[in-house]
Amino acid sequence: MESFEINVGPTPATTSGPLHLRVQTDGHRVVQAKIEAGYLHRGMEKVAERMTWLSCQPYMGRIDYVSAIHCEHAYALAVEKLCGFEIPERSKAIRVVVSELSRIASHLLSIAWLARTTNASTAVMFALRDREKICDLFEILCGARLTYNYVRIGGVSNDFTEGFVDKTIEFIDYIVPKLQEYHQLLTNNVFFIGRLAGVGVVSASQAIAAGLSGPNLRASGVKLDKRKQEDYEIYRKIDFSTPLGATSADSFRGAVQGDAFNRYFVRIQEIEQSAVIIRQVLANVPEGKYALTLPRVFKVPAGEIYVSVESPRGTQGIFIRSTGEKYPDRLRLRTPSFPVLNILPAVLESSTLEDMGPLVASFDYLPSEVDR
Amino acid sequence: MAFVFSRLDDLATWAQTHSLSFLFLDLSCCGIEMMHTTGGRYDLERFGAVQVASPKQADLMIVAGSISYKYAETLKKNYEQMCDPKWVMAIGSCAGSGGMFEGEFSYSTVSGVDKILPVDVYVPGCPPRPEAIMHGLLTLQKGIVKCRAQNSWKDSKTSSPEL
Amino acid sequence: MSSTEFLEGLKNEFPGAITKIDIGYGQKFAEFSSNAAASIFNVCSTNERGRFDLLEDLLAYDSGDDIVLVYNLYSTLLNHRVILKTSLHRKEPSILTATTVWLAALSYEKEIAELFGVRFKNHTTEIPFLLPKDWQGFPMRKDYVYPGGYSGIAHGSGVERRKR
């Protein structure tokens, strides 16, 4: 059969953002895949060079808008380290709680997108229903549902508001048993497993060579979690585990480490671990101030620094170069979806047309992170 | 006779406004709020608005998110593929006027969808709440009714409602 | 502190190429000259005291005089990190590609080539990456002039903003 060129996108189809795939197919097998990014390139890094250090903060939430806390967090940590600030213990605990809530929200949305591409529409509605509850929690806390601008340089923008802690614990008590619904609908569903098991396998060495991180890397069996490696906030004092990809010996027939099913499975287990972390932290939040007081226009001493946090998609890193002025000289966003571009063509080229959508969604590929 | 035709016209207007199929361009953060609006709690489908995959089947184009110069050509093509009567709703500040990436702030963002397409409803916010998006849809529906009532004696296209 | 040992070893092995070693904020920076790029990349990934298998980030910045490339290397086996920098001359910045050693460099180099105008020798991709195909200029350089518009769309909404 002759090969046929198909355009997928740039109008968003399988991702929440524009992505252009040009695939050559032979029948229904994909022979060659070319990815074109840049349809959402807003020039964030150049914008940051115009803004003062404090004015950059709202832009950070718009890069990875599905879990807006993590990029803000990385930026705040980088500037604080360069200035030599030591933030109060209470604000560290608050930051951990909101980070983990944001992680649960992001994983729910990634499950929704994966379910949407595999036509498991009930799971889409359920995931959005549960994500709404987290949006409510954030609304009680900081007034915004999606892009919070909550984690600031020096701490957070305000303390826990009235009712937030009780409602969060209520939500945690609700979501952990509710995950059984997702297991029933998706994880133990023979059609879902059949669709994703053994598809898009990325071995551990391929994943490291391509620069993957986060759940994508852990699904391939590499145990790397920034929360355990880098010493930031109070993660070293919390007891939690990092789930790795399961093999077919664990009752998921046909699933191998590094396939699309395991990338989903790692995420749903991480929701449980985030719940464990939130419960531990909320059990004893230290008293004290929630932020340092900063001057209104403040200058960061000259220097360069790289800081990374564990975002739901992987390693969210920020590199800052300061020349002592009140504007950053260079702000670089190392986003976790960027290295996925290195491996996505190879993965797509060994798959079929109907697997393209679920494969892209299984990497939790966010075009706005790639294009910035 | 005229009474019957005007009743039939009202029926057609009601059918048109309450069955808008929209092409949902979820380009950026506003797209996630739009997803929530079509979700279970703020159900947009009860107003008849159904999401379709292709511009050829759509009446309404909902632009949610920032437009970059690279995407502008595709956006125009999507608009031209839609059949008359068609409307455009711009959600969020980025689609409305460029938002935080307007003008000198960003080198590669278009300062608003209205530089490329004629927009009928703007829903401001960053991102706007789902209730605001629903309000935008209802405003568009009222506008279509008004526009059809005004133009019912013409047989030109019933777009660009006077709101 | 094995990454410090690694850097010292590197300095001894390539005396002319490594120009500076810095330890600040707990991070180890080393500057190298771009001619020795091939050998330094090889040593970083294969040396048993280094074993840097993950290229976490490759970025560039315009320091006013030069274009500086920053390679952020991490070792998953030995759990340490090192940051290598090299300065390229502004007029014609070019360096050997790192994709033969780390596949991760592919997308980073594409981005830097487009936004800063750096030429990576032996790097083989043609698709324009983040910007439209006929974009003029290198946006991330400090002397970039904002465009008046693109393909008929005027830039900005006509509102006067305060200058930086």
Side-chain angles (χ1 to χ4, degrees):
Chain A
M1 220 189 240
E2 286 177 20
S3 75
F4 192 70
E5 177 157 331
I6 294 185
N7 249 336
V8 180
T11 305
T14 54
T15 51
S16 53
L19 167 70
H20 193 177
L21 292 172
R22 281 201 290 257
V23 295
Q24 299 263 2
T25 61
D26 173 23
H28 75 135
R29 280 185 310 114
V30 174
V31 167
Q32 196 191 37
K34 285 197 194 146
I35 303 179
E36 198 170 331
Y39 287 93
L40 196 57
H41 182 58
R42 296 174 279 194
M44 290 274 193
E45 299 180 354
K46 191 82 179 179
V47 167
E49 293 176 13
R50 279 186 59 96
M51 297 277 147
T52 59
W53 294 97
L54 296 176
S55 317
C56 272
Q57 286 166 138
Y59 287 88
M60 298 294 118
R62 269 78 182 172
I63 293 157
D64 174 9
Y65 42 80
V66 174
S67 60
I69 291 281
H70 295 93
C71 203
E72 295 171 9
H73 193 185
Y75 178 71
L77 281 176
V79 176
E80 284 158 11
K81 211 162 171 182
L82 208 54
C83 292
F85 291 160
E86 185 60 41
I87 62 170
E89 289 296 313
R90 186 176 173 85
S91 64
K92 289 186 186 173
I94 297 180
R95 281 180 176 183
V96 169
V97 171
V98 292
S99 288
E100 295 306 317
L101 273 180
S102 191
R103 191 185 311 276
I104 298 179
S106 167
H107 284 326
L108 284 171
L109 195 72
S110 89
I111 291 171
W113 271 108
L114 185 59
R116 186 173 280 212
T117 49
T118 51
N119 269 328
S121 352
T122 319
V124 178
M125 289 298 155
F126 283 7
L128 286 176
R129 169 199 68 189
D130 294 331
R131 203 190 132 90
E132 284 283 348
K133 296 196 158 47
I134 300 184
C135 290
D136 283 346
L137 287 176
F138 274 109
E139 203 179 350
I140 297 172
L141 181 66
C142 61
R145 286 166 48 98
L146 193 71
T147 47
Y148 315 119
N149 197 14
Y150 180 65
V151 176
R152 308 271 179 97
I153 301 172
V156 290
S157 80
N158 54 271
D159 207 341
F160 282 147
T161 45
E162 194 182 312
F164 177 76
V165 176
D166 300 326
K167 289 208 157 62
T168 308
I169 295 183
E170 220 177 276
F171 171 73
I172 299 291
D173 291 335
Y174 158 84
I175 191 79
V176 178
K178 227 21 165 187
L179 288 178
Q180 292 310 315
E181 270 186 17
Y182 293 95
H183 289 309
Q184 222 176 353
L185 275 176
L186 297 173
T187 321
N188 297 324
N189 183 341
V190 69
F191 298 109
F192 192 71
I193 301 177
R195 199 69 207 269
L196 296 180
V199 167
V201 180
V202 176
S203 70
S205 57
Q206 276 178 326
I208 296 178
L212 293 182
S213 51
N216 296 333
L217 189 61
R218 293 196 278 278
S220 300
V222 182
K223 195 166 186 145
L224 226 67
D225 187 339
K226 291 278 170 188
R227 293 173 288 177
K228 300 239 183 213
Q229 278 169 278
E230 313 269 329
D231 184 16
Y232 69 98
E233 311 307 7
I234 53 174
Y235 280 111
R236 288 275 168 93
K237 301 183 199 162
I238 307 174
D239 183 28
F240 66 100
S241 66
T242 38
L244 290 182
T247 55
S248 57
D250 304 9
S251 87
F252 300 116
R253 253 172 315 174
V256 295
Q257 268 201 345
D259 68 356
F261 178 77
N262 271 312
R263 288 191 279 274
Y264 151 79
F265 189 55
V266 164
R267 290 196 178 102
I268 202 156
Q269 288 178 298
E270 282 192 5
I271 297 181
E272 279 189 58
Q273 291 306 313
S274 294
V276 161
I277 295 175
I278 296 179
R279 227 188 271 279
Q280 279 181 40
V281 177
L282 285 181
N284 47 357
V285 182
E287 297 296 323
K289 292 170 74 164
Y290 59 86
L292 302 171
T293 22
L294 300 173
R296 196 176 164 87
V297 174
F298 83 114
K299 300 189 179 177
V300 172
E304 294 174 5
I305 200 162
Y306 174 79
V307 160
S308 59
V309 300
E310 176 80 12
S311 124
R313 264 155 284 285
T315 304
Q316 169 70 50
I318 296 235
F319 174 88
I320 290 186
R321 177 166 190 255
S322 162
T323 46
E325 301 229 351
K326 53 181 183 170
Y327 308 95
D329 188 70
R330 173 78 166 107
L331 173 74
R332 154 73 177 182
L333 307 153
R334 187 265 182 217
T335 46
S337 294
F338 198 72
V340 172
L341 283 180
N342 295 322
I343 200 146
L344 205 49
V347 163
L348 289 178
E349 279 166 14
S350 55
S351 76
T352 58
L353 211 58
E354 56 264 12
D355 286 333
M356 270 185 349
L359 270 179
V360 174
S362 76
F363 280 105
D364 206 357
Y365 179 87
L366 197 65
S368 88
E369 279 193 336
V370 171
D371 303 337
R372 275 157 283 134
Chain B
M1 230 27 224
F3 173 74
V4 172
F5 279 129
S6 72
R7 289 298 110 195
L8 281 176
D9 209 47
D10 285 346
L11 182 67
T13 310
W14 173 84
Q16 184 174 48
T17 52
H18 288 266
S19 66
L20 290 168
S21 30
F22 63 90
L23 173 70
F24 167 33
L25 291 169
D26 99 12
L27 299 166
S28 184
C29 346
C30 292
I32 305 291
E33 279 296 27
M34 189 69 204
M35 271 181 80
H36 285 155
T37 317
T38 54
R41 189 193 280 189
Y42 308 101
D43 179 14
L44 202 61
E45 218 171 301
R46 59 188 150 131
F47 301 116
V50 155
Q51 183 177 347
V52 290
S54 158
K56 296 182 178 137
Q57 301 166 347
D59 301 317
L60 168 66
M61 178 193 271
I62 298 189
V63 184
S66 351
I67 315 286
S68 67
Y69 283 125
K70 195 167 183 182
Y71 192 72
E73 191 194 330
T74 312
L75 192 67
K76 187 87 186 164
K77 274 193 206 162
N78 273 341
Y79 182 73
E80 285 165 4
Q81 283 179 356
M82 286 164 68
C83 296
D84 271 338
K86 55 189 172 185
W87 297 275
V88 175
M89 188 156 110
I91 292 184
S93 352
C94 290
S97 71
M100 50 172 33
F101 304 104
E102 181 266 336
E104 292 283 303
F105 290 108
S106 161
Y107 56 84
S108 67
T109 319
V110 180
S111 302
V113 177
D114 49 11
K115 292 213 177 311
I116 308 170
L117 309 172
V119 176
D120 298 303
V121 178
Y122 297 86
V123 182
C126 194
R129 286 191 58 105
E131 286 99 339
I133 299 175
M134 287 198 295
H135 179 66
L137 186 75
L138 294 173
T139 313
L140 180 69
Q141 287 181 343
K142 286 192 201 123
I144 297 174
V145 171
K146 214 160 140 185
C147 166
R148 279 189 70 111
Q150 288 168 352
N151 294 340
S152 57
W153 55 272
K154 289 191 225 168
D155 55 2
S156 59
K157 62 178 176 162
T158 51
S159 318
S160 310
E162 297 273 325
L163 291 164
Chain C
M1 305 298 278
S2 52
S3 55
T4 329
E5 288 170 16
F6 170 77
L7 283 178
E8 293 294 336
L10 205 62
K11 191 161 187 184
N12 295 336
E13 203 173 325
F14 301 97
I18 300 280
T19 46
K20 198 167 117 170
I21 295 187
D22 216 346
I23 298 181
Y25 310 104
Q27 306 193 334
K28 288 130 199 115
F29 285 77
E31 290 194 26
F32 69 98
S33 73
S34 51
N35 306 330
S39 27
I40 292 193
F41 293 157
N42 268 325
V43 167
C44 283
S45 65
T46 50
N47 184 310
E48 69 274 358
R49 270 185 306 184
R51 300 182 81 183
F52 293 106
D53 48 356
L54 182 63
L55 175 66
E56 192 159 315
D57 195 12
L58 166 55
L59 64 122
Y61 65 80
D62 186 349
S63 68
D65 310 312
D66 293 324
I67 309 275
V68 179
L69 289 185
V70 179
Y71 292 79
N72 194 327
L73 298 168
Y74 180 75
S75 168
T76 56
L77 303 154
L78 300 177
N79 194 12
H80 60 207
R81 181 191 300 281
V82 84
I83 301 182
L84 298 174
K85 291 166 64 169
T86 177
S87 298
L88 303 175
H89 199 265
R90 206 188 171 79
K91 284 252 164 56
E92 292 220 10
S94 77
I95 190 175
L96 188 67
T97 181
T99 47
T100 43
V101 181
W102 301 289
L103 175 64
L106 194 68
S107 45
Y108 295 124
E109 286 178 359
K110 271 203 285 197
E111 186 200 0
I112 295 175
E114 197 171 36
L115 294 178
F116 282 90
V118 175
R119 196 173 68 87
F120 288 94
K121 299 178 212 166
N122 301 341
H123 181 101
T124 53
T125 44
E126 311 102 20
I127 299 179
F129 193 36
L130 295 176
L131 299 170
K133 286 188 180 69
D134 46 0
W135 195 266
Q136 306 291 330
F138 301 118
M140 286 302 292
R141 291 205 184 185
K142 295 288 183 195
D143 50 4
Y144 178 67
V145 174
Y146 279 63
Y150 177 76
S151 85
I153 308 169
H155 194 78
S157 52
V159 177
E160 279 292 317
R161 301 254 170 222
R162 61 173 162 84
K163 296 290 169 205
R164 178 190 149 148

